Amino acid sequence: MAASPTRDLSSARDTIYQAISAIRLIDPHTHINPHSAGSTTLADILGYHYYTELVHSAGMPRLEIEEPGIEPRELVRRMVHGLGNITNTANYHWLIQICREFFDFTDDAITLDNWEDLFDRSEQKMASPDWAQTVLDQSNVEAVFLTNDFDDDLSGFDTNTYIPCLRTDDLVFHLAKQEVQDRLEACSGIANDGSLKSLHAALRQRFVHFVSKGARACAISIPPSFQPTPVSDGRAQNAYDSVLTNGTDANPEDIAALSRKVFWTLAELCDEFGLPFDLMIGVNRGVYPGGVYQGQDLYDSRVSLIQYRELFNAFPRVKFPISVLASVTNQELVSYSWIFPNVLTNGHWWYSNTPSFIHRDAAARLEAVPRNKQIGYYSDAYKLEFVLPKFDMYRRILARVLADEFVGENGWSEEKAIELGRQVLRGNVDEIFRAPQAIDESAPLDEFGNPAVIAGRTSDGTNEDLDPVPSDAEIDSSGVSDVTLSETTADDHATDLDHEIDAVPLNVGDLLGDKNPSGPDAPGSQIHPIAGDGEFTPDGKSMRLRPDPMTGELHFPVDEDEKKSKGEG
Amino acid sequence: MAASPTRDLSSARDTIYQAISAIRLIDPHTHINPHSAGSTTLADILGYHYYTELVHSAGMPRLEIEEPGIEPRELVRRMVHGLGNITNTANYHWLIQICREFFDFTDDAITLDNWEDLFDRSEQKMASPDWAQTVLDQSNVEAVFLTNDFDDDLSGFDTNTYIPCLRTDDLVFHLAKQEVQDRLEACSGIANDGSLKSLHAALRQRFVHFVSKGARACAISIPPSFQPTPVSDGRAQNAYDSVLTNGTDANPEDIAALSRKVFWTLAELCDEFGLPFDLMIGVNRGVYPGGVYQGQDLYDSRVSLIQYRELFNAFPRVKFPISVLASVTNQELVSYSWIFPNVLTNGHWWYSNTPSFIHRDAAARLEAVPRNKQIGYYSDAYKLEFVLPKFDMYRRILARVLADEFVGENGWSEEKAIELGRQVLRGNVDEIFRAPQAIDESAPLDEFGNPAVIAGRTSDGTNEDLDPVPSDAEIDSSGVSDVTLSETTADDHATDLDHEIDAVPLNVGDLLGDKNPSGPDAPGSQIHPIAGDGEFTPDGKSMRLRPDPMTGELHFPVDEDEKKSKGEG
Amino acid sequence: MAASPTRDLSSARDTIYQAISAIRLIDPHTHINPHSAGSTTLADILGYHYYTELVHSAGMPRLEIEEPGIEPRELVRRMVHGLGNITNTANYHWLIQICREFFDFTDDAITLDNWEDLFDRSEQKMASPDWAQTVLDQSNVEAVFLTNDFDDDLSGFDTNTYIPCLRTDDLVFHLAKQEVQDRLEACSGIANDGSLKSLHAALRQRFVHFVSKGARACAISIPPSFQPTPVSDGRAQNAYDSVLTNGTDANPEDIAALSRKVFWTLAELCDEFGLPFDLMIGVNRGVYPGGVYQGQDLYDSRVSLIQYRELFNAFPRVKFPISVLASVTNQELVSYSWIFPNVLTNGHWWYSNTPSFIHRDAAARLEAVPRNKQIGYYSDAYKLEFVLPKFDMYRRILARVLADEFVGENGWSEEKAIELGRQVLRGNVDEIFRAPQAIDESAPLDEFGNPAVIAGRTSDGTNEDLDPVPSDAEIDSSGVSDVTLSETTADDHATDLDHEIDAVPLNVGDLLGDKNPSGPDAPGSQIHPIAGDGEFTPDGKSMRLRPDPMTGELHFPVDEDEKKSKGEG
């Protein structure tokens, strides 16, 4: 190949960095409170768990930081005393950048000598009534995704700027708590009669609510041990009975079964409503209970995406943007995204959100995952001021990888590299989180008073095309499309074929060959229905669902030897 | 040290890259069909699973790609529509390089505008009767290793250019299938009387066949869960009975026990016949059954080489070139190769065969594993055209590591660096995969009609030296060699001592000290025989083989605390 | 941010490297024998297991290397024959640097032609009576930590230069051996009457001995499978009875329970005596029993720091400098150090002690872990000559990271970068391994004749402040300090607040809010006592200790769903 690997790439890095910094962003995952999006004092900035946990870890007692009733100025004063121990961290770097970008700060450290001036000056700026919009504009940010509790009424803010996202951790992992049951009943308006049916209806009502308010994604964070599997209705009803009777004291197996049932149901609803399901995989909550608020969670890096095998196979139409907590899982994420059409790479999360991990993880993705399946970054910010420095950290690394590997090693032009940067920074966010089909107001209502038809599908999810807006360029490929309608994200990543595909046989069975499914429709999947007799036949071979000896739940095991191994290797 | 880490290394990279590109290659692992080694149309190139699976993952329905009876030109046309989504991938980079190197292509992308010219021009070139040899020559490739089914008759091609390799996945993992049993009986000519003895004879006949046809390696790919262990003949016979009776419906424990028995037997035969045993560790087959052909396999990165502990200890004379699927296992591979004489690093496999993983994995090997134990790369190609771009990707990274780390950081001369590159690219392939001892035609036959003595050993593997051609430089170290004959690859990596080692005591027991083995000969190991009473005494201490409570099979557990921990750390 | 990522960083690397090379070192972990700290011939250098195991792995029979009675010159001669295969390794690089720095060697390889001159010249130099001090001075090393057996009498050497460290592997993992029991009884002078109480007293006597002789740390290396948990006295006494009766033939569960009890007791004693507890996590001993001395150990990289969750929570005042064997565990170490005040990063151990792993692991730590919690490096050397090349390898990489990432990417001045380098190389060693409180000679004796009060605490570990020397700058924060005395290393990393914190309520329960502990004191923890009824209430919620169904031991499981997941993600 022509490119010399040794040319000076300084100029390419700069050019690319400047170009991608000019892209107006949509931040696809934050914890911003839309009613209080910007900070009001430096205490909002320094109170971010990254600073409190690091300063605590470096030696400051928790109670100095979390003293009840402490005033903002006093908190900042105390925090400043601890900052000297964390000046090396990427998080401190964000802090200085915020102060320089937004508060006219010119020093390179916050010290006992300068903090009070900074506090006063920043407080004055933040007091501006349009501070949030100022920050958005100065950060070149068009919109941010939120993280909304399932019972959020989603009112009182502009959902074009603050885009709702249904966060489901409580529903999946805490439904045994009376408080969560009560909240669900109250917000959905659907009485809990103890049946799975009413539970399903309440969950579905939440989707109707969120989608009608402009939600673009469903999301959840998941511990390393979780393995999604379908749970039969009988088993699930038993588990639900147990949980409703005993609450958090219920048999752990029952609580776990209910978790899996709710999770699976959410995936079905994402399928029905056309919502991507953001999975954030790997966190153990409360590992250090003596830590500061939000600074108690850690993880076991021994997690594998093989645990999600059944999910990815069962829901080919649901897009799963996936974040992994530990960089050691990044190669699995790359490989699964490389193979599964519905698995997408999503940002650099939490403990992997520091430069060296971003660098290696981003480089691995950029060279191996289809470019239309990579969501480069999200800020995860709690306050708007953090969007800029976090994205800027990513942009600098992205520019480095694009310049070094694509311009330098691959011989790309800077323009081509910038285009790739644009796609992972913004273009894919637009494509992947497109607004789902609007709720059809004239649709018939189900027995719970919710619309029975969504996104061209019936509420049992068995119907029709996913793509709400076929592009003009799309061809008439009716023959093929009849049989490929359930082929995952095919329509979403429309291949703009400019021709007619010759008619192909319409006999689905012939076409699918040994992949011909048998049996009645299964929830969430047309291509791999689970037959009534418990057989799953993706290969035309019997791949038996096996009941768990402890719980009676059905699953199919990782099946390593079934296929004649003529693949790679 | 003298070297400045900051000199400009551009020139060193270029010089080293040029030098190692001039080395004529032997590709030690491919899936080339020797009867059809080159491609005939671009569809052979674009039909490679890397392209079909990536284009499918990026959104093209499987049935557009795998429509039955589709013409090559039509397949290419469809694929071209999907290529835009994968231009960032290393695999796409290979494609463009192939077109430029072999088909006079001058653009940097295959588009709707240029693909048809390219199709026609390439078809014309591939029609040349000596196309395969043209590709080999232009790629500077002398020979390629094949991947042959166990029942391949290995005739009709030049085994000096297309070197046979016995692929054993079917035997180990699919012997429960009637079809595999039938194939083994048919090709070996040995009737299956249901006894382990006849099974062993059939397997051994295959080794005779392959070695007599010039095979240089045995190979297998292995799922993450597999753990090789010896299985007693009694247990194995029961398992074999069960499998012969019930086929793939046999008890999974029986199928697994038979797998382990066959695997262990293959290792014994590798020992007897002097064949390296390529292990490709980590793939789960059929994780995504809805994927395209050969695009359905993924993995669980939670695998450890500790699972191979017993194997590596039991077969010190067998060389195990090892490929790992996930980069997170690379450090284990480095460490095990650093310690075990019979463990070698082998290439960069599949999902780890992209630049950033190669770069980090190769750098870790080059700085830590003895230089004579590293097989730098293999192409894994299905068609000859891919050998060039894949090796070139590796060469560029190798040049980068050699220039940056060895010339730059260590202060090496470019000549020294090139010499290291030559060794891992070619020299070690010659050494490690040397032709085994020819079959002795005059040897007595066993009861199945096969030669009873191979490579200086009896067929029970208990005899004599491994090294078929002692080098002239080797000294008379009879006293030592008598006791070290089983010391792993000692003879293979001959240390050219130019002197006489003083006579040492011939009493093996005295010399071995507390490593003195006891008990009768064990299969595949003279140094660590397994005693009749089930004790294994590598340290003179009792290290009990323990029966598995489920299966009755013997194994010895990882024994963490036995040894007084005075080592490193 | 202002810094251009593309400036030439050569000069910064050089400047930083020179500056940090001028820092006088204390090496916080070695295996130096203080009675024979330097080498006497090249055989001491080439006999280091790194060379013997690599040369063996490359093909030299073990018995050539470990022939009984072999003379030093002959061993070196043989080893030189094998060195050609390992010239690429980092370890070989150390060797050449030693020869050049200490023995006037000017070649860049040791060959058949030059080794004998080198042998003679080096032997002459090492014969100097003050050779050890010469090496220390030339290496710019002030002191080295040792690795002392628990029964070392620690006499006959200068403990300011050779700092004792209590190594506890034998006590934790080998107490079932009669020999270890005998050694403990003999050295402690406390008769083993079979009671846990006498065992505790013997262990405690060893701490008195070590601390009175200037020990600064306790240390242990741990296999991947070990998970420290508290063991009740009843269970532990049963286990001890079993082990005293049956020795190494005791039930493995009993041996394991005793291991955990001893380990937990050591942590309690570290707490009482103010000693850091170095944990070196991840080694499996004796994986390759046929290997050379000290070249038999490997590992299973599937280990997680989540296994240490209970330990880190239970001993907030004990500093745990942690080394991990595999680089895949480094991110966990970074994250746990980022969150837990008592978890510190410690060096680059063994199989991770090669340049590419150090580079990636060090970079990840420097950008994420508070700067006062990172111990950059230790040599792990057995002979003084190795301290220099090993530290120099680290310094070069450290300079690279500081120049590239901190000066280049973050825009730091070289001075700031050097200061960070100084802290991780030396400053933190001084701070973290400060001499513990001297034994109070006038303290009352317990029934075993040992001082009953140490470091301001009673021997049951329930008392008073850890910090022996409150800094002048410390404020009167009595109200807070009353409730924060058990807040981990708070006092150690004193935040020099220059003011008075306003009085806060003294009611501990009010302050702690839902973290209010209940129940009697628990061993080793004031903040998270384990209540008598088996409940542990870090969050004011019930977090039940559950008995292991096999062993009856108490533990609390990783609890993933307890906390409402409103954290990151």
Side-chain angles (χ1 to χ4, degrees), chain C residues 161-223:
Chain C
T161 302
Y162 298 100
I163 300 168
C165 170
L166 172 59
R167 184 65 173 242
T168 58
D169 302 47
D170 283 348
L171 296 168
V172 171
F173 296 115
H174 302 289
L175 193 56
K177 296 178 183 169
Q178 185 66 46
E179 168 246 342
V180 176
Q181 298 165 22
D182 293 346
R183 285 167 56 207
L184 180 58
E185 193 165 24
C187 69
S188 69
I190 293 174
N192 181 357
D193 63 6
S195 72
L196 274 185
K197 191 169 181 183
S198 70
L199 175 59
H200 184 276
L203 296 174
R204 189 165 181 279
Q205 194 280 333
R206 292 289 81 199
F207 274 72
V208 171
H209 169 66
F210 268 77
V211 170
S212 69
K213 294 289 191 179
R216 303 264 189 96
C218 182
I220 188 169
S221 81
I222 307 175

Side-chain angles (χ1 to χ4, degrees), chain A residues 315-332:
Chain A
F315 296 96
R317 299 191 306 192
V318 176
K319 299 174 207 168
F320 295 102
I322 291 182
S323 301
V324 291
L325 192 53
S327 179
V328 298
T329 318
N330 185 64
Q331 191 179 6
E332 280 196 13

Side-chain angles (χ1 to χ4, degrees), chain C residues 331-364:
Chain C
Q331 191 179 5
E332 280 197 14
L333 177 55
V334 166
S335 304
Y336 280 70
S337 300
W338 164 340
I339 292 295
F340 275 102
N342 52 341
V343 174
L344 300 96
T345 63
N346 193 14
H348 300 272
W349 187 34
W350 203 341
Y351 293 114
S352 289
N353 188 24
T354 64
S356 71
F357 292 119
I358 296 173
H359 187 276
R360 77 177 77 156
D361 293 349

Side-chain angles (χ1 to χ4, degrees), chain A residues 49 57 77 167 174 289 380, chain C residues 331 373 499 515 561 568-569:
Chain A
H49 72 84
S57 171
R77 193 182 65 77
R167 183 65 173 242
H174 302 287
D380 222 1
Chain C
Q331 191 179 5
K373 297 182 67 191
H499 66 290
K515 296 187 192 266
D561 308 330
E568 196 61 44

Side-chain angles (χ1 to χ4, degrees), chain A residues 8-11 13-14 17 29 31 48-50 53-64 66-68 74 77-78 81-82 84-91 93 96-97 100-101 108-109 112 147 149 167 169-170 173-174 177 179 183 221 223-226 249 252 259 280 283-291 293-302 325-328 349-352 354-357 360 379-382 390 392 396 400, chain C residues 1-7 224 301-307 309 312-313 327-343 360-361 363-374 404-406 408-412 416 420 423 475 477 480 483-484 487-491 493-505 510-512 515 527-528 536 538-539 543-544 546 558-569:
Chain A
D8 178 24
L9 297 163
S10 313
S11 137
R13 283 197 197 179
D14 278 348
Y17 171 72
H29 175 63
H31 294 261
Y48 195 15
H49 72 84
Y50 283 109
E53 73 201 16
L54 282 167
V55 162
H56 172 54
S57 171
M60 188 177 287
R62 186 178 64 78
L63 284 173
E64 281 193 26
E66 301 192 339
E67 185 185 331
E74 174 60 14
R77 193 182 65 77
R78 292 184 190 182
H81 281 87
N85 285 327
I86 70 167
T87 54
N88 57 305
T89 64
N91 318 86
H93 200 66
I96 299 301
Q97 190 169 11
R100 295 171 68 108
E101 294 278 350
D108 62 0
L112 296 178
T147 294
D149 282 341
R167 183 65 173 242
D169 303 47
D170 284 349
F173 296 115
H174 302 287
K177 296 178 182 170
E179 169 246 343
R183 287 167 54 207
S221 81
S225 60
F226 191 70
D249 291 329
S259 281
M280 315 184 88
V283 63
N284 288 116
R285 302 290 177 182
V287 172
Y288 174 43
Y293 178 62
Q294 294 183 335
Q296 307 176 1
D297 306 334
L298 282 158
Y299 58 95
D300 180 338
S301 60
R302 296 168 301 183
L325 192 53
S327 179
V328 298
W349 187 33
W350 202 340
Y351 294 113
S352 290
T354 63
S356 71
F357 292 119
R360 74 177 81 159
S379 76
D380 222 1
Y382 282 74
K390 287 180 158 191
D392 197 56
R396 293 168 63 86
R400 196 169 168 177
Chain C
M1 301 299 279
S4 159
T6 54
R7 51 173 287 204
S301 60
R302 295 170 301 183
V303 63
S304 172
L305 295 184
I306 201 83
Q307 299 168 214
R309 180 197 193 195
F312 299 153
N313 277 294
S327 179
V328 298
T329 318
N330 186 63
Q331 191 179 5
E332 280 197 14
L333 177 55
V334 166
S335 304
Y336 280 70
S337 300
W338 164 340
I339 292 295
F340 275 102
N342 52 341
V343 174
R360 77 177 77 156
D361 293 349
R365 295 176 191 178
L366 287 166
E367 73 193 16
V369 176
R371 55 189 293 164
N372 62 333
K373 297 182 67 191
Q374 304 187 41
D404 293 357
E405 306 306 325
F406 287 84
E409 295 295 328
N410 288 355
W412 281 26
K416 274 181 71 175
L420 177 55
Q423 184 167 14
I475 58 157
S477 57
V480 170
V483 299
T484 60
E487 274 286 338
T488 316
T489 53
D491 294 315
H493 310 280
T495 56
D496 52 356
L497 295 174
D498 56 354
H499 66 290
E500 295 245 349
I501 291 183
D502 293 334
V504 293
D510 288 352
L511 265 184
L512 287 172
K515 296 187 192 266
I527 196 170
H528 299 145
F536 174 77
D539 267 306
M543 188 171 172
R544 293 186 200 87
R546 297 180 193 163
V558 174
D559 179 58
E560 290 145 351
D561 308 330
E562 283 285 329
K563 225 178 119 240
K564 192 176 174 198
S565 45
K566 290 266 197 164
E568 196 61 44

